[in-house]
Amino acid sequence: MTLPIPTVTTLKAKCRDCHRCIRACPVKAIKLRSGQANVVPELCISCGLCVEACPQKAKTVISQAEEVMALLAAGEEVCVSLAPSYAVAFDAYSPGQVVAALKQLGFARVEETALAAEAVAAHYCQRLTGQQSTMISSCCPTIVNLVEIHFPQLLPLMAPSASPMVIHGLSLRARFPKAKTVFIGPCIAKIQEASRPAA
Protein backbone atom coordinates (compact mmCIF):
# COMPACT_ATOMS: atom_id res chain seq x y z
CA MET A 1 0.00 0.00 0.00
CA THR A 2 1.39 3.42 -0.99
CA LEU A 3 0.61 6.00 1.65
CA PRO A 4 -1.12 9.12 0.31
CA ILE A 5 0.11 12.61 1.11
CA PRO A 6 -0.30 13.79 4.73
CA THR A 7 -3.17 16.23 5.13
CA VAL A 8 -2.74 17.58 8.68
CA THR A 9 0.40 19.26 9.95
CA THR A 10 1.42 20.98 13.21
CA LEU A 11 2.28 24.67 13.39
CA LYS A 12 5.04 24.40 16.00
CA ALA A 13 4.83 28.01 17.14
CA LYS A 14 1.18 27.53 18.09
CA CYS A 15 1.39 24.11 19.77
CA ARG A 16 1.08 24.84 23.51
CA ASP A 17 1.51 21.39 25.05
CA CYS A 18 -2.19 20.94 25.90
CA HIS A 19 -2.40 17.44 24.37
CA ARG A 20 -6.06 17.82 23.39
CA CYS A 21 -5.35 16.59 19.87
CA ILE A 22 -3.69 13.46 21.29
CA ARG A 23 -6.78 12.68 23.36
CA ALA A 24 -9.10 13.41 20.41
CA CYS A 25 -7.35 11.14 17.91
CA PRO A 26 -9.30 7.86 17.60
CA VAL A 27 -6.34 5.93 16.17
CA LYS A 28 -3.49 7.32 18.30
CA ALA A 29 -1.81 8.90 15.28
CA ILE A 30 -0.40 11.88 17.19
CA LYS A 31 2.87 11.53 19.08
CA LEU A 32 4.90 13.91 21.22
CA ARG A 33 8.26 14.82 19.71
CA SER A 34 10.40 17.45 21.40
CA GLY A 35 7.34 18.68 23.27
CA GLN A 36 5.28 19.06 20.07
CA ALA A 37 2.21 17.01 19.21
CA ASN A 38 2.93 15.79 15.68
CA VAL A 39 0.72 13.78 13.35
CA VAL A 40 2.25 10.46 12.28
CA PRO A 41 1.23 10.27 8.59
CA GLU A 42 1.44 6.48 8.35
CA LEU A 43 -1.14 6.14 11.16
CA CYS A 44 -3.40 9.11 10.35
CA ILE A 45 -6.81 8.44 8.79
CA SER A 46 -7.46 12.15 8.00
CA CYS A 47 -10.63 12.37 10.08
CA GLY A 48 -9.89 15.94 11.20
CA LEU A 49 -10.81 15.45 14.86
CA CYS A 50 -7.42 16.81 15.94
CA VAL A 51 -8.04 19.99 13.94
CA GLU A 52 -11.36 20.53 15.70
CA ALA A 53 -9.93 19.72 19.14
CA CYS A 54 -6.97 22.12 19.00
CA PRO A 55 -7.83 25.40 20.80
CA GLN A 56 -4.65 27.11 19.50
CA LYS A 57 -5.31 26.21 15.86
CA ALA A 58 -1.92 24.49 15.78
CA LYS A 59 -3.24 21.66 13.63
CA THR A 60 -3.73 22.82 10.07
CA VAL A 61 -5.06 21.17 6.94
CA ILE A 62 -3.04 21.51 3.76
CA SER A 63 -4.74 23.70 1.21
CA GLN A 64 -4.61 23.50 -2.55
CA ALA A 65 -6.53 26.74 -3.03
CA GLU A 66 -3.45 28.63 -4.22
CA GLU A 67 -2.74 25.98 -6.86
CA VAL A 68 -6.33 26.18 -8.10
CA MET A 69 -6.29 29.98 -8.20
CA ALA A 70 -2.99 29.82 -10.14
CA LEU A 71 -4.67 27.57 -12.73
CA LEU A 72 -7.49 30.09 -13.11
CA ALA A 73 -5.07 33.02 -13.30
CA ALA A 74 -3.17 31.20 -16.05
CA GLY A 75 -6.38 30.94 -18.07
CA GLU A 76 -6.66 27.15 -17.75
CA GLU A 77 -10.00 25.48 -18.39
CA VAL A 78 -11.01 24.17 -14.94
CA CYS A 79 -14.01 21.99 -14.10
CA VAL A 80 -15.45 21.74 -10.60
CA SER A 81 -16.87 18.65 -8.92
CA LEU A 82 -18.89 20.24 -6.12
CA ALA A 83 -19.71 18.23 -2.98
CA PRO A 84 -23.45 18.13 -2.16
CA SER A 85 -22.68 19.66 1.25
CA TYR A 86 -22.24 23.06 -0.42
CA ALA A 87 -25.97 23.60 0.16
CA VAL A 88 -25.33 23.64 3.92
CA ALA A 89 -22.00 25.46 3.79
CA PHE A 90 -23.53 28.28 1.74
CA ASP A 91 -27.11 28.10 3.02
CA ALA A 92 -27.61 31.85 2.59
CA TYR A 93 -27.32 31.43 -1.18
CA SER A 94 -29.31 29.49 -3.74
CA PRO A 95 -27.61 26.71 -5.72
CA GLY A 96 -27.72 28.97 -8.77
CA GLN A 97 -25.91 31.75 -6.90
CA VAL A 98 -23.15 29.37 -5.77
CA VAL A 99 -22.64 28.11 -9.32
CA ALA A 100 -22.69 31.67 -10.67
CA ALA A 101 -20.06 32.75 -8.12
CA LEU A 102 -17.77 29.86 -9.08
CA LYS A 103 -18.13 30.72 -12.75
CA GLN A 104 -17.37 34.35 -11.95
CA LEU A 105 -14.14 33.17 -10.35
CA GLY A 106 -13.26 31.63 -13.70
CA PHE A 107 -14.32 27.98 -13.47
CA ALA A 108 -15.52 26.70 -16.83
CA ARG A 109 -17.98 24.08 -15.58
CA VAL A 110 -19.58 23.25 -12.24
CA GLU A 111 -21.25 19.90 -11.59
CA GLU A 112 -22.37 18.17 -8.41
CA THR A 113 -20.31 15.20 -7.28
CA ALA A 114 -23.62 13.52 -6.49
CA LEU A 115 -24.07 12.86 -10.22
CA ALA A 116 -21.75 9.88 -9.72
CA ALA A 117 -23.47 8.63 -6.55
CA GLU A 118 -26.18 6.91 -8.58
CA ALA A 119 -23.59 4.80 -10.42
CA VAL A 120 -21.90 3.88 -7.14
CA ALA A 121 -25.22 2.91 -5.55
CA ALA A 122 -26.11 0.76 -8.57
CA HIS A 123 -22.75 -0.98 -8.31
CA TYR A 124 -23.33 -1.68 -4.61
CA CYS A 125 -26.80 -3.06 -5.29
CA GLN A 126 -25.42 -5.34 -7.98
CA ARG A 127 -22.68 -6.61 -5.65
CA LEU A 128 -25.09 -7.22 -2.76
CA THR A 129 -27.77 -9.00 -4.76
CA GLY A 130 -28.02 -12.52 -3.39
CA GLN A 131 -25.15 -12.01 -0.94
CA GLN A 132 -25.43 -12.48 2.81
CA SER A 133 -22.04 -11.04 3.71
CA THR A 134 -21.26 -7.58 4.99
CA MET A 135 -19.79 -4.95 2.67
CA ILE A 136 -17.97 -1.83 3.85
CA SER A 137 -18.67 1.22 1.72
CA SER A 138 -15.66 2.73 -0.02
CA CYS A 139 -17.34 6.13 -0.44
CA CYS A 140 -15.71 7.63 2.67
CA PRO A 141 -11.91 7.96 2.38
CA THR A 142 -11.55 8.19 6.17
CA ILE A 143 -13.13 4.74 6.51
CA VAL A 144 -10.97 3.41 3.66
CA ASN A 145 -7.88 4.78 5.47
CA LEU A 146 -9.05 3.26 8.76
CA VAL A 147 -9.44 -0.19 7.23
CA GLU A 148 -6.24 -0.07 5.16
CA ILE A 149 -4.03 1.21 7.97
CA HIS A 150 -5.55 -0.19 11.17
CA PHE A 151 -7.80 -3.10 10.19
CA PRO A 152 -6.28 -4.67 7.04
CA GLN A 153 -7.99 -7.96 7.89
CA LEU A 154 -11.25 -6.27 6.85
CA LEU A 155 -10.01 -5.37 3.34
CA PRO A 156 -11.86 -8.33 1.75
CA LEU A 157 -15.12 -6.73 2.95
CA MET A 158 -14.34 -3.36 1.34
CA ALA A 159 -16.58 -2.54 -1.62
CA PRO A 160 -14.57 -2.81 -4.85
CA SER A 161 -15.70 0.57 -6.08
CA ALA A 162 -14.25 4.05 -6.27
CA SER A 163 -15.98 6.90 -4.44
CA PRO A 164 -18.41 9.29 -6.14
CA MET A 165 -15.69 11.97 -6.09
CA VAL A 166 -13.24 9.79 -8.01
CA ILE A 167 -15.87 8.52 -10.46
CA HIS A 168 -17.16 12.03 -11.14
CA GLY A 169 -13.62 13.36 -11.56
CA LEU A 170 -12.83 10.63 -14.08
CA SER A 171 -16.08 11.40 -15.90
CA LEU A 172 -15.17 15.09 -16.16
CA ARG A 173 -11.70 14.20 -17.44
CA ALA A 174 -13.17 11.87 -20.05
CA ARG A 175 -15.67 14.45 -21.28
CA PHE A 176 -13.34 17.44 -21.12
CA PRO A 177 -9.82 16.02 -21.70
CA LYS A 178 -8.12 19.41 -22.00
CA ALA A 179 -9.57 20.70 -18.73
CA LYS A 180 -8.17 20.48 -15.20
CA THR A 181 -10.54 19.00 -12.63
CA VAL A 182 -10.88 20.12 -9.02
CA PHE A 183 -13.07 18.95 -6.17
CA ILE A 184 -14.60 21.44 -3.75
CA GLY A 185 -15.84 20.01 -0.47
CA PRO A 186 -15.35 20.03 3.30
CA CYS A 187 -13.76 16.58 3.74
CA ILE A 188 -10.09 16.56 4.77
CA ALA A 189 -9.62 12.95 3.67
CA LYS A 190 -10.73 13.80 0.12
CA ILE A 191 -7.48 15.74 -0.32
CA GLN A 192 -5.62 12.54 0.43
CA GLU A 193 -7.94 10.43 -1.71
CA ALA A 194 -7.31 12.66 -4.72
CA SER A 195 -3.57 11.97 -4.43
CA ARG A 196 -4.02 8.23 -4.91
CA PRO A 197 -2.91 6.85 -8.29
CA ALA A 198 -6.45 5.66 -9.13
CA ALA A 199 -7.78 9.19 -8.81
Side-chain angles (χ1 to χ4, degrees):
M1 175 186 66
T2 303
L3 289 170
I5 58 168
T7 52
V8 180
T9 58
T10 301
L11 300 174
K12 293 184 179 182
K14 291 188 174 184
C15 186
R16 301 290 182 211
D17 202 28
C18 73
H19 305 154
R20 288 189 192 177
C21 59
I22 294 173
R23 291 191 295 274
C25 181
V27 293
K28 308 302 179 209
I30 301 175
K31 307 293 181 195
L32 281 178
R33 291 183 187 145
S34 304
Q36 300 288 311
N38 291 292
V39 176
V40 180
E42 43 289 349
L43 298 177
C44 180
I45 60 172
S46 296
C47 67
L49 290 176
C50 61
V51 178
E52 290 181 18
C54 182
Q56 284 88 15
K57 309 293 183 205
K59 292 290 175 283
T60 183
V61 179
I62 65 164
S63 174
Q64 296 170 323
E66 284 187 18
E67 295 170 46
V68 173
M69 295 310 288
L71 288 173
L72 295 175
E76 294 275 4
E77 181 183 1
V78 184
C79 297
V80 171
S81 178
L82 184 62
S85 54
Y86 82 90
V88 175
F90 303 106
D91 61 341
Y93 305 97
S94 71
Q97 288 174 312
V98 173
V99 171
L102 288 169
K103 289 194 172 179
Q104 242 184 342
L105 284 171
F107 293 103
R109 287 170 197 81
V110 181
E111 292 183 4
E112 280 197 54
T113 313
L115 290 172
E118 189 175 336
V120 173
H123 184 252
Y124 282 11
C125 287
Q126 183 182 11
R127 295 286 302 186
L128 287 170
T129 301
Q131 290 187 13
Q132 296 291 322
S133 64
T134 301
M135 185 168 69
I136 301 171
S137 172
S138 57
C139 288
C140 173
T142 298
I143 296 299
V144 172
N145 291 340
L146 178 68
V147 171
E148 286 184 348
I149 298 168
H150 298 280
F151 299 99
Q153 70 274 19
L154 298 178
L155 281 171
L157 299 177
M158 184 70 66
S161 175
S163 72
M165 180 195 79
V166 170
I167 290 173
H168 189 233
L170 292 172
S171 168
L172 285 168
R173 286 183 193 171
R175 288 181 284 139
F176 310 105
K178 293 183 180 178
K180 306 294 184 186
T181 302
V182 300
F183 172 78
I184 298 177
C187 176
I188 293 171
K190 293 286 187 192
I191 299 168
Q192 205 177 60
E193 182 184 24
S195 75
R196 290 173 177 258

